[in-house]
Amino acid sequence: MVEAYVHDNNTHVDCRAPHHSGKSVSLERLASLGVFYRHCRSQDEVDAVACARHYSNRDEVTISPASFPSEDAFRDKLAVFYTEHLHEDEEIRYALAGEGYFDLRDATTGDWIRVKLTTGDLLIVPAGIYHRFTVTESNFIRAQRLFKDEPKWQAFNRPEGDARPVHKEYLASLA
Ligand code: KMT
Ligand code: NI
């Protein structure tokens, strides 16, 4: 079962720690934010989700100290991923190995909802939602990133993202 819970917002502790507040979050609450989780036992299952949602592109990424030229480069990348941001396209993330945390901002309550992805976990992140990412204390994840069209890497940090039409549309979809 996927682990999803409210983040404790403790900024004195490294982002890779669990930050469990003690409040767990249901798949229904995730779905109400437009975030969908499922476990896929095979690549075929991932492909079926991607096909049904008209995805046409994907790549693979490894995030660990060993996959960067230096410890500083690794830290810099983590800092970028962990900065609250949004994208203009829906994206799927699928954990091939290792583990990571996706934090999704609940726009209604302001909570950060943390979802732990381990091998075989797939997450659908809607366009326009504020989020951030980190590896866990294991410092390693290999993941597939699936895109609807050409990869749109551009990230709009908060608060610049507030003005993007995609964010307004996302908020309207919650109402
Ligand atoms: C994102 O959109 O923040 C990411 O894709 C993070 C890295 S993917 C494991
Ligand atoms: Ni992102």
Side-chain angles (χ1 to χ4, degrees), residues 28-40:
E28 289 71 26
R29 180 165 172 198
L30 280 181
S32 77
L33 302 179
V35 175
F36 297 93
Y37 163 85
R38 66 173 279 185
H39 188 80
C40 293

Side-chain angles (χ1 to χ4, degrees), residues 81 85-87 91 93 102 131-132 155:
F81 282 143
H85 65 274
L86 57 80
H87 306 284
E91 295 172 343
R93 297 290 181 265
F102 260 93
H131 64 278
R132 63 188 184 190

Side-chain angles (χ1 to χ4, degrees), residues 3 22 25 29 31 44 66 69 114 146:
E3 236 189 291
V25 167
R29 180 165 172 198
D44 281 353
R114 173 159 279 198
L146 298 93

